[in-house]
Amino acid sequence: MKPQELLRDPIEMEVFSNRLLSITEDMNNTLVRSSFSTNIKERKDCSVALFDGRGRLIAQGTQIPLHLGSLNGAVETVLARYKPEDIKDGDVYICNDPYLAAGSHLPDVNLITPVFCDGRLAFFTANVGHHADFGGVVAGSIAGGLRSIYAEGLRLPVIRIVREGVLDEDLLNLIAHNTRDPEERVLDLKVQIATNARGAQAVRELSQQMGLDKALDAVEDLISYTRNRLRLRIGQLKQGSYRFENWLDDDGLGDGDPVPVRVEVTVAADKLIFDFAGSGPEARGAMNLPVNALNACVYYSVKALLDPDMAANAGLFEPLEIRLPKGSIVSPDSPAAVGARSLTAQKVAGAIFGAFRGVLPPERIMGAGNDVCPAIVFSGRHADRPGSYVYIEAVGGGSGARADSDGMDGVHVHMTNSSNLPVEALENEYPLRVDAYGYVVDSGGEGRQRGGMGLARQISAQAEGIVFTARADSHTVGQASGAAGGNPGRRATLSLRKASGEVTALQSKSANIVLKTGDSIRMETSGGGAVGLPAERSLEDIVNDLEDGVLTAERARIAYGELGEAALAKLLPAGR
């Protein structure tokens, strides 16, 4: 069957697309359910994808949008490193390095498996898992103040870890014993290998059922359809150039000037141009965003803003042109550190969303989300086996309001989408206790539609010598902006609370803080920006906010003025 014939049958193409998505969904479930580490099995910090034999993305089960760039880069690097005749059935490749293997950062480890059908290299299955630790000078392998990728952990170019079905145990042991928890690394890496094998078997069965040539024709149609669909969406936009800027508190070291993240989006007849000129210089610390991770921010933003139901495949990439200033925070040179790149990625996505306020109609604009991926890391010695545990948690915040609805409270936004680690699992796995976990009152921006509330998470050490590290932002400069006159969200905070009761404010990228039993860390994340003027909010909504504990009486008076006073007066007769 010829490609043009398949194009006349959209139902068959939709069925084929969903067959591919069912394979990635099964791969993702396998990876999550079988993994050993809490970071993958509980927090779901992982993603999977399918590529054709030419290295083009055809389907993804990407829970974490930022992982898309890492997977794309890994497959491209495999094809650049090995000749087609050197890639064998049963091989598996491993890599993580942003400069040597187009990765994202070192804890995100990619496994790539070639899939042969009828003796031909026809597809690749791929997955990435965020490993809680991958070596380096800091537990968790991420700290804003690290100055070089050499300090961040074990660097892996593309290496064949399975050769024609035989696992290289020596290489696996070398990798595992360069991390703080070798047993966890070995088990999770073996699950990643098995996940790809399961996906490869499903792809082979699909190709056998359809016939390989027909399946490859369907891939061409799927990519062409996505490309044409996006060009149609672009053609419906008003042409012109639109700008926005976000700000990072610093470049990772805590003592420098704020760093701008700027983008100019140009809408042309059949393409979008993203120009990041004017963004800050290459960071001294680990805030640098590798190119493939930057690309993922653009791909995610376009899909989310223009057509969320559009399939994510290589057709999405072709109508987009990305221009990056070399040697900048969004296009660093080796060996710049990149571990905390997710903070910059969030600011990039937020800047793109901000620029699109000028592109989209008023009924589709949004306030900014918290635009941060704040993370906390606790580590210490295992009590019952060799090695050290590393508990990492990315904490959600407020999302931006929409033109017709309030922002969501306590969620991940943009490039990250991991689950929280349940309190019961955390306290069972580690000598830690969750003292507080809830929303931050008065943190969402006020407006016709309010921004979402940030989260407060306070964790105390239940043993001596636990080491704490954080990566966060929007403590001093960055703030979730409102749209159409809405107020911004509240900034974030981080503090050390001694068992004695002494409270010390911490810098957003604090590292290697040694805790004593009873000491606790409290993180309060930022809220989302509002949409519309505060004076436009309904009295009923303000009353509900007061009753629900979203808003204090003091803040209601300051932000809403007479409306706030009226809402409070309405509550007083009922004794509320």
Short mmCIF file of all heavy atoms in Angstrom, two decimals, residues 39-66:
data_model
loop_
_atom_site.label_atom_id
_atom_site.label_comp_id
_atom_site.label_asym_id
_atom_site.label_seq_id
_atom_site.Cartn_x
_atom_site.Cartn_y
_atom_site.Cartn_z
N ASN A 39 12.15 7.18 43.36
CA ASN A 39 12.07 8.28 42.41
C ASN A 39 11.38 7.87 41.11
O ASN A 39 10.75 8.69 40.44
CB ASN A 39 13.47 8.81 42.10
CG ASN A 39 13.42 10.24 41.60
OD1 ASN A 39 12.75 11.08 42.18
ND2 ASN A 39 14.13 10.53 40.52
N ILE A 40 11.47 6.59 40.75
CA ILE A 40 10.80 6.11 39.54
C ILE A 40 9.50 5.39 39.89
O ILE A 40 8.45 5.67 39.31
CB ILE A 40 11.73 5.21 38.72
CG1 ILE A 40 12.96 6.00 38.25
CG2 ILE A 40 11.00 4.63 37.51
CD1 ILE A 40 13.98 5.18 37.48
N LYS A 41 9.52 4.52 40.86
CA LYS A 41 8.32 3.72 41.14
C LYS A 41 7.21 4.54 41.80
O LYS A 41 6.03 4.25 41.60
CB LYS A 41 8.67 2.51 42.00
CG LYS A 41 8.95 2.81 43.47
CD LYS A 41 9.28 1.54 44.26
CE LYS A 41 9.59 1.86 45.72
NZ LYS A 41 9.98 0.66 46.49
N GLU A 42 7.57 5.55 42.59
CA GLU A 42 6.56 6.36 43.27
C GLU A 42 6.36 7.72 42.60
O GLU A 42 5.23 8.14 42.37
CB GLU A 42 6.96 6.56 44.74
CG GLU A 42 7.00 5.29 45.57
CD GLU A 42 5.63 4.79 45.98
OE1 GLU A 42 4.61 5.41 45.58
OE2 GLU A 42 5.57 3.78 46.69
N ARG A 43 7.47 8.39 42.28
CA ARG A 43 7.36 9.75 41.75
C ARG A 43 7.22 9.77 40.23
O ARG A 43 6.95 10.80 39.64
CB ARG A 43 8.58 10.59 42.17
CG ARG A 43 8.67 10.79 43.69
CD ARG A 43 9.72 11.83 44.06
NE ARG A 43 9.44 13.08 43.39
CZ ARG A 43 10.18 13.59 42.41
NH1 ARG A 43 11.24 12.95 41.96
NH2 ARG A 43 9.85 14.74 41.86
N LYS A 44 7.46 8.63 39.58
CA LYS A 44 7.27 8.50 38.13
C LYS A 44 8.13 9.49 37.34
O LYS A 44 7.70 10.05 36.33
CB LYS A 44 5.79 8.66 37.76
CG LYS A 44 4.86 7.69 38.47
CD LYS A 44 3.41 7.94 38.09
CE LYS A 44 2.48 6.96 38.81
NZ LYS A 44 2.47 7.16 40.27
N ASP A 45 9.37 9.65 37.80
CA ASP A 45 10.28 10.57 37.13
C ASP A 45 10.98 9.82 36.00
O ASP A 45 12.17 9.47 36.08
CB ASP A 45 11.29 11.12 38.13
CG ASP A 45 11.99 12.38 37.63
OD1 ASP A 45 11.88 12.67 36.43
OD2 ASP A 45 12.62 13.07 38.45
N CYS A 46 10.23 9.57 34.93
CA CYS A 46 10.73 8.75 33.82
C CYS A 46 9.85 8.99 32.61
O CYS A 46 8.76 9.54 32.71
CB CYS A 46 10.70 7.26 34.19
SG CYS A 46 9.06 6.67 34.68
N SER A 47 10.33 8.58 31.44
CA SER A 47 9.57 8.72 30.20
C SER A 47 10.01 7.64 29.22
O SER A 47 11.11 7.09 29.34
CB SER A 47 9.80 10.11 29.57
OG SER A 47 9.37 11.14 30.43
N VAL A 48 9.15 7.36 28.23
CA VAL A 48 9.45 6.36 27.20
C VAL A 48 9.06 6.92 25.84
O VAL A 48 8.27 7.86 25.74
CB VAL A 48 8.69 5.04 27.47
CG1 VAL A 48 9.02 4.48 28.84
CG2 VAL A 48 7.18 5.24 27.32
N ALA A 49 9.60 6.31 24.78
CA ALA A 49 9.28 6.77 23.43
C ALA A 49 9.62 5.70 22.41
O ALA A 49 10.40 4.78 22.68
CB ALA A 49 10.03 8.07 23.11
N LEU A 50 9.03 5.85 21.21
CA LEU A 50 9.33 5.02 20.04
C LEU A 50 9.87 5.91 18.93
O LEU A 50 9.37 7.03 18.72
CB LEU A 50 8.08 4.30 19.54
CG LEU A 50 7.38 3.32 20.48
CD1 LEU A 50 6.11 2.79 19.83
CD2 LEU A 50 8.31 2.18 20.85
N PHE A 51 10.88 5.42 18.24
CA PHE A 51 11.48 6.12 17.10
C PHE A 51 11.52 5.18 15.91
O PHE A 51 11.54 3.94 16.08
CB PHE A 51 12.91 6.57 17.44
CG PHE A 51 12.99 7.60 18.53
CD1 PHE A 51 12.91 7.23 19.87
CD2 PHE A 51 13.15 8.94 18.23
CE1 PHE A 51 12.99 8.17 20.88
CE2 PHE A 51 13.23 9.90 19.24
CZ PHE A 51 13.14 9.51 20.56
N ASP A 52 11.53 5.74 14.71
CA ASP A 52 11.72 4.87 13.55
C ASP A 52 13.22 4.63 13.35
O ASP A 52 14.06 5.15 14.09
CB ASP A 52 11.05 5.44 12.30
CG ASP A 52 11.72 6.69 11.74
OD1 ASP A 52 12.77 7.12 12.28
OD2 ASP A 52 11.20 7.25 10.75
N GLY A 53 13.58 3.83 12.34
CA GLY A 53 14.97 3.46 12.12
C GLY A 53 15.84 4.62 11.71
O GLY A 53 17.08 4.52 11.78
N ARG A 54 15.23 5.72 11.29
CA ARG A 54 15.99 6.92 10.91
C ARG A 54 16.19 7.85 12.10
O ARG A 54 16.79 8.91 11.97
CB ARG A 54 15.27 7.65 9.79
CG ARG A 54 15.23 6.88 8.48
CD ARG A 54 14.15 7.40 7.54
NE ARG A 54 14.28 8.82 7.27
CZ ARG A 54 13.39 9.53 6.57
NH1 ARG A 54 12.30 8.93 6.08
NH2 ARG A 54 13.57 10.82 6.36
N GLY A 55 15.66 7.47 13.27
CA GLY A 55 15.83 8.28 14.47
C GLY A 55 14.78 9.35 14.64
O GLY A 55 14.95 10.26 15.46
N ARG A 56 13.64 9.24 13.94
CA ARG A 56 12.57 10.22 14.08
C ARG A 56 11.57 9.75 15.13
O ARG A 56 11.15 8.59 15.12
CB ARG A 56 11.86 10.44 12.74
CG ARG A 56 12.74 10.99 11.65
CD ARG A 56 11.97 11.16 10.35
NE ARG A 56 11.41 9.89 9.90
CZ ARG A 56 10.57 9.76 8.86
NH1 ARG A 56 10.19 10.83 8.18
NH2 ARG A 56 10.13 8.58 8.51
N LEU A 57 11.18 10.66 16.02
CA LEU A 57 10.19 10.33 17.03
C LEU A 57 8.86 10.01 16.37
O LEU A 57 8.38 10.76 15.52
CB LEU A 57 10.01 11.51 17.99
CG LEU A 57 8.96 11.34 19.09
CD1 LEU A 57 9.41 10.31 20.11
CD2 LEU A 57 8.66 12.68 19.75
N ILE A 58 8.24 8.89 16.78
CA ILE A 58 6.93 8.55 16.22
C ILE A 58 5.85 8.44 17.31
O ILE A 58 4.66 8.57 17.00
CB ILE A 58 6.97 7.25 15.40
CG1 ILE A 58 7.48 6.07 16.21
CG2 ILE A 58 7.83 7.45 14.15
CD1 ILE A 58 7.45 4.75 15.45
N ALA A 59 6.22 8.23 18.55
CA ALA A 59 5.25 8.21 19.65
C ALA A 59 6.00 8.35 20.96
O ALA A 59 7.13 7.88 21.09
CB ALA A 59 4.44 6.91 19.65
N GLN A 60 5.36 8.98 21.93
CA GLN A 60 6.01 9.14 23.22
C GLN A 60 5.02 8.91 24.35
O GLN A 60 3.84 9.20 24.23
CB GLN A 60 6.62 10.53 23.35
CG GLN A 60 5.59 11.66 23.40
CD GLN A 60 6.22 13.01 23.62
OE1 GLN A 60 7.13 13.39 22.89
NE2 GLN A 60 5.75 13.73 24.62
N GLY A 61 5.54 8.34 25.42
CA GLY A 61 4.77 8.23 26.64
C GLY A 61 5.48 9.08 27.66
O GLY A 61 5.81 8.61 28.75
N THR A 62 5.71 10.32 27.30
CA THR A 62 6.56 11.19 28.11
C THR A 62 5.76 11.86 29.20
O THR A 62 4.96 12.74 28.95
CB THR A 62 7.23 12.26 27.22
OG1 THR A 62 7.92 11.60 26.17
CG2 THR A 62 8.20 13.10 28.01
N GLN A 63 5.97 11.44 30.43
CA GLN A 63 5.34 12.11 31.56
C GLN A 63 6.03 13.42 31.87
O GLN A 63 5.42 14.37 32.34
CB GLN A 63 5.40 11.20 32.80
CG GLN A 63 4.62 9.93 32.62
CD GLN A 63 4.77 8.98 33.78
OE1 GLN A 63 3.86 8.25 34.04
NE2 GLN A 63 5.90 8.97 34.46
N ILE A 64 7.32 13.47 31.61
CA ILE A 64 8.12 14.66 31.91
C ILE A 64 8.50 15.30 30.57
O ILE A 64 9.37 14.79 29.86
CB ILE A 64 9.40 14.28 32.68
CG1 ILE A 64 9.09 13.32 33.83
CG2 ILE A 64 10.10 15.53 33.18
CD1 ILE A 64 8.22 13.87 34.93
N PRO A 65 7.86 16.41 30.19
CA PRO A 65 8.15 17.00 28.88
C PRO A 65 9.63 17.28 28.64
O PRO A 65 10.12 17.16 27.51
CB PRO A 65 7.33 18.30 28.89
CG PRO A 65 6.17 17.99 29.78
CD PRO A 65 6.74 17.10 30.86
N LEU A 66 10.37 17.60 29.69
CA LEU A 66 11.79 17.90 29.54
C LEU A 66 12.58 16.69 29.05
O LEU A 66 13.63 16.82 28.43
CB LEU A 66 12.35 18.40 30.87
CG LEU A 66 13.75 19.01 30.89
CD1 LEU A 66 13.87 20.13 29.86
CD2 LEU A 66 14.07 19.53 32.28
#
